[in-house]
């Protein structure tokens, strides 16, 4: 239902049109605001999509390799901060273009083509050389729309509110690479987070100038506080949701028969946002490690401690389920808690598998069967959580910083298989150590 309407002087003729706003939620994704404008005088109309929820914890980058015409039909949500790039054409759709849109890959390309063609007649008269160059580029766009060759579609969004459909979900899609990254200073400037922080810093500075007598010893204090009783270090941080000052609590924990780790928890008193993360207190191991837990007793195995680093993958062969690195971040919980995290992530990973995008006419294509497959996997995963089904859980970490509790320690656990392996060049590149020089680096 439309929750709000507003009129104003819009459209090509600057006459009064009507904008309708609707707050809705895409099932298993996020809340959004859909705005629809139409002018009854000139017929001009447009639709926009805006996220109603806060920004993601990190930015997200989707890299889709299109290999057939079906890939052109993948659904895409591009937020107002999202940027689309096609390397083969050295082409980019900036955030301010087609902002807040929900379309297919083909739809974004078609809208770009129509936008370029709209003024070609005038360009040919006024700037014939530019028009000729655009005609050549439009021809290349038409080749992509007709899919004459494979190409790459990249959607980069520092707000984390954009999305590219995975029709194979919950299975891993070899054509779709999802990367979540820490925002740079430029990203924070784009989102306006830096401006908020600078305004708050200026406000604090003004208060200090007004009351200098209360801050005479400020130079001797530090923003990092350490509690000797709890061994918790507290320092200022920036809230990923609202951009205001938050508090980060950090504690070093020594896991028996493993390593030391850092538990970090962020709390924002302004918006109530909370976040937790686990970091290794040591470096990257010499070899990657693969840990396989064979569940034999749900009561015992579900309460095992598990540490998943942000570089680790989770694979459950019986469910044909793989969660790639970065999907859940760093977690220190139990096996049951980790499975619940996986279930929740699956429920939000592909909104087009549910709601209006799901088949309703009783007919199913191969893609529709894939959508039903996600629901079946989630159902089977819940059975594992309830202890009604036993499976194998494989934790694969190229950095070697993950862990599953050995209930028989210091003896070996018959239900745990630990394997070390040599990392590939691609894995070393993803970890940032492919070209790192650790010996005789003074000579370089």
């Amino acid at each position: 239902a439309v929750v709000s309407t507003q009129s104003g002087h819009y459209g090509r003729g600057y006459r009064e049109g009507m904008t309708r706003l609707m707050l809705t939620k895409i099932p298993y994704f996020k809340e959004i605001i859909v705005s629809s404008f139409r002018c009854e005088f000139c017929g001009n109309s447009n639709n926009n999509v805006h996220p109603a929820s806060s920004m993601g914890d990190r930015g997200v980058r989707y890299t889709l390799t299109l290999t057939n015409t079906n890939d052109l039909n993948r659904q895409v949500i591009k937020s107002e901060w999202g940027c689309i790039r096609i390397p083969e054409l050295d082409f980019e759709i900036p955030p301010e273009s087609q902002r807040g849109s929900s379309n297919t890959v083909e739809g974004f390309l078609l809208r770009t083509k129509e936008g370029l063609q709209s003024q070609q007649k005038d360009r040919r008269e006024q700037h014939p050389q530019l028009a000729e160059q655009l005609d050549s580029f439009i021809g290349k766009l038409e080749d992509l729309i007709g899919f004459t060759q494979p190409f790459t579609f990249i959607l980069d969004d520092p707000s984390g509110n954009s999305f590219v459909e995975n029709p194979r979900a919950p299975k891993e899609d070899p054509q779709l690479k999802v990367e979540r990254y820490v925002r740079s200073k430029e990203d924070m400037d784009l989102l306006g987070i830096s401006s908020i922080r600078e305004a708050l810093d200026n406000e604090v500075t003004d208060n200090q100038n007004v009351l200098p007598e209360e801050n005479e010893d400020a130079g001797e204090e530090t923003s990092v506080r350490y509690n000797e009783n709890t061994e918790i270090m507290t320092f200022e941080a920036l809230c990923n949701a609202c951009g205001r000052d938050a508090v980060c609590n950090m504690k070093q924990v020594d896991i028996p028969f493993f390593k030391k780790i850092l538990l970090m928890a962020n709390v924002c008193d302004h918006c109530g946002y909370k976040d937790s993360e686990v970091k290794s207190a040591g470096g990257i191991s010499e070899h990657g490690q693969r840990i396989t837990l064979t569940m034999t007793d749900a009561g015992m195995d579900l309460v095992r401690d598990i540490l998943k680093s942000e570089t680790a993958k989770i694979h459950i062969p019986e469910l044909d389920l793989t969660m790639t690195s970065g999907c859940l971040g760093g977690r220190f919980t139990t096996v049951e808690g980790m499975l619940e995290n996986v279930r929740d992530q699956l429920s939000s990973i592909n909104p087009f598998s549910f709601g209006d995008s799901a088949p309703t006419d009783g007919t199913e294509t191969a893609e529709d069967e894939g959508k039903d497959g996600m629901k079946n996997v989630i159902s089977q995963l819940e059975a594992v959580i309830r202890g009604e089904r036993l499976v194998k859980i494989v934790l694969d970490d190229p950095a070697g910083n993950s862990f599953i509790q050995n209930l028989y320690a210091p003896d070996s656990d018959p239900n745990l298989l630990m394997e070390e392996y040599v990392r590939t060049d691609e894995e070393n590149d993803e970890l940032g150590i492919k070209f790192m020089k650790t010996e005789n680096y003074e000579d370089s």
Side-chain angles (χ1 to χ4, degrees):
V2 177
V3 297
S4 177
T5 60
Q6 60 184 26
S7 60
H9 295 281
Y10 306 109
R12 299 187 180 92
Y14 296 98
R15 305 185 69 175
E16 188 173 278
M18 180 67 68
T19 298
R20 292 176 170 83
L21 304 176
M22 181 177 69
L23 176 65
T24 186
K25 181 178 181 181
I26 298 180
Y28 305 95
F29 187 47
K30 292 183 178 182
E31 289 184 342
I32 61 172
I33 298 174
V34 180
S35 63
S36 175
F37 169 78
R38 179 170 177 78
C39 177
E40 296 181 356
F41 299 98
C42 67
N44 182 35
S45 63
N46 63 69
N47 300 297
N48 289 306
V49 177
H50 305 278
S53 56
S54 60
M55 297 179 187
D57 300 345
R58 300 186 176 189
V60 65
R61 183 182 300 108
Y62 294 91
T63 303
L64 172 64
T65 303
L66 289 88
T67 58
N68 55 67
T69 54
N70 291 332
D71 291 330
L72 292 170
N73 297 323
R74 293 196 188 216
Q75 294 287 335
V76 177
I77 294 177
K78 176 185 177 294
S79 81
E80 58 184 314
W81 311 110
C83 172
I84 293 175
R85 293 195 299 272
I86 300 178
E88 288 80 358
L89 297 184
D90 195 18
F91 169 65
E92 177 178 300
I93 302 177
E96 58 270 15
S97 178
Q98 302 190 40
R99 59 193 305 170
S101 302
S102 177
N103 212 328
T104 62
V105 174
E106 182 181 15
F108 278 103
L109 297 179
L110 284 172
R111 287 185 62 180
T112 300
K113 172 189 168 185
E114 292 168 359
L116 293 174
Q117 287 179 329
S118 61
Q119 303 295 327
Q120 277 295 82
K121 184 177 180 180
D122 294 336
R123 291 193 192 100
R124 290 190 179 94
E125 296 177 357
Q126 302 173 10
H127 306 284
Q129 186 175 359
L130 175 60
E132 184 179 351
Q133 293 174 350
L134 285 176
D135 283 335
S136 175
F137 182 80
I138 291 172
K140 295 178 181 179
L141 268 181
E142 291 175 340
D143 289 340
L144 296 186
I145 296 170
F147 199 80
T148 58
Q149 62 180 11
F151 65 96
T152 306
F153 181 93
I154 301 174
L155 176 57
D156 192 338
D157 184 0
S159 76
N161 285 331
S162 292
F163 186 85
V164 176
E165 179 186 14
N166 173 10
R168 300 172 182 264
K171 299 178 182 178
E172 183 178 1
D173 189 345
Q175 297 172 226
L176 183 63
K177 181 179 180 181
V178 184
E179 303 170 89
R180 289 174 174 82
Y181 58 87
V182 178
R183 300 183 183 98
S184 65
K185 178 64 167 58
E186 290 75 15
D187 294 332
M188 296 174 71
D189 289 341
L190 175 66
L191 299 174
I193 297 178
S194 297
S195 301
I196 297 174
R197 183 61 181 269
E198 290 170 2
L200 292 172
D201 289 343
N202 292 335
E203 182 180 344
V204 172
T205 302
D206 292 340
N207 292 337
Q208 290 175 341
N209 292 333
V210 172
L211 300 172
E213 68 275 4
E214 296 182 8
N215 293 279
E216 292 178 354
D217 299 330
E220 299 177 3
E221 295 180 358
T222 175
S223 60
V224 179
R225 299 182 298 277
Y226 181 73
N227 188 318
E228 295 183 356
N229 296 325
T230 60
E231 298 180 345
I232 294 177
M233 184 177 294
T234 303
F235 52 91
E236 293 181 357
L238 188 66
C239 177
N240 289 325
C242 70
R244 306 187 71 178
D245 285 332
V247 176
C248 180
N249 297 316
M250 182 175 70
K251 181 182 175 71
Q252 182 171 280
V253 179
D254 191 357
I255 300 180
F257 307 102
F258 186 55
K259 297 180 179 181
K260 291 182 179 180
I261 62 170
L262 295 176
L263 294 178
M264 305 176 68
N266 297 312
V267 181
C268 180
D269 293 332
H270 301 285
C271 67
Y273 177 79
K274 297 181 180 179
D275 180 33
S276 61
E277 194 170 2
V278 178
K279 297 284 188 181
S280 171
I284 297 174
S285 299
E286 184 178 354
H287 296 97
Q289 189 175 60
R290 186 180 300 107
I291 307 174
T292 303
L293 169 63
T294 303
M295 295 180 61
T296 57
D297 185 325
M300 293 176 57
D301 293 325
L302 288 175
V303 298
R304 288 178 187 252
D305 290 334
I306 181 171
L307 168 65
K308 177 198 172 294
S309 79
E310 57 186 3
T311 58
K313 303 176 184 178
I314 297 177
H315 179 53
I316 303 178
E318 290 83 353
L319 306 186
D320 199 10
L321 169 64
T322 300
M323 300 293 287
T324 58
S325 59
C327 283
L328 298 173
R331 302 274 179 167
F332 184 37
T333 178
T334 62
V335 171
E336 181 181 7
M338 184 62 66
L339 293 175
E340 289 175 347
N341 293 148
V342 171
R343 178 198 60 195
D344 296 341
Q345 181 75 5
L346 285 178
S347 298
S348 63
I349 199 171
N350 196 341
F352 303 105
S353 296
F354 307 92
D356 296 338
S357 296
T360 57
D361 57 359
T363 61
E364 289 192 354
T365 63
E367 182 177 350
D368 296 331
E369 292 177 0
K371 295 177 179 179
D372 290 337
M374 170 174 279
K375 297 180 182 179
N376 292 333
V377 168
I378 293 176
S379 176
Q380 295 178 56
L381 198 56
E382 290 175 342
V384 178
I385 295 172
R386 292 192 300 268
E388 299 172 359
R389 181 173 183 181
L390 303 176
V391 296
K392 285 185 178 180
I393 299 175
V394 182
L395 195 59
D396 191 338
D397 187 0
N401 288 327
S402 295
F403 164 86
I404 297 180
Q405 183 183 9
N406 177 358
L407 299 178
Y408 297 83
D411 298 328
S412 60
D413 190 329
N415 298 323
L416 270 183
L417 175 63
M418 304 182 68
E419 305 170 273
E420 290 189 344
Y421 60 88
V422 178
R423 287 185 290 266
T424 63
D425 286 343
E426 182 180 357
E427 289 171 334
N428 284 329
D429 191 25
E430 290 179 353
L431 294 174
I433 61 175
K434 182 176 182 180
F435 301 105
M436 184 181 293
K437 188 174 183 180
T438 58
E439 295 179 359
N440 301 323
Y441 55 86
E442 298 91 345
D443 300 332
S444 61

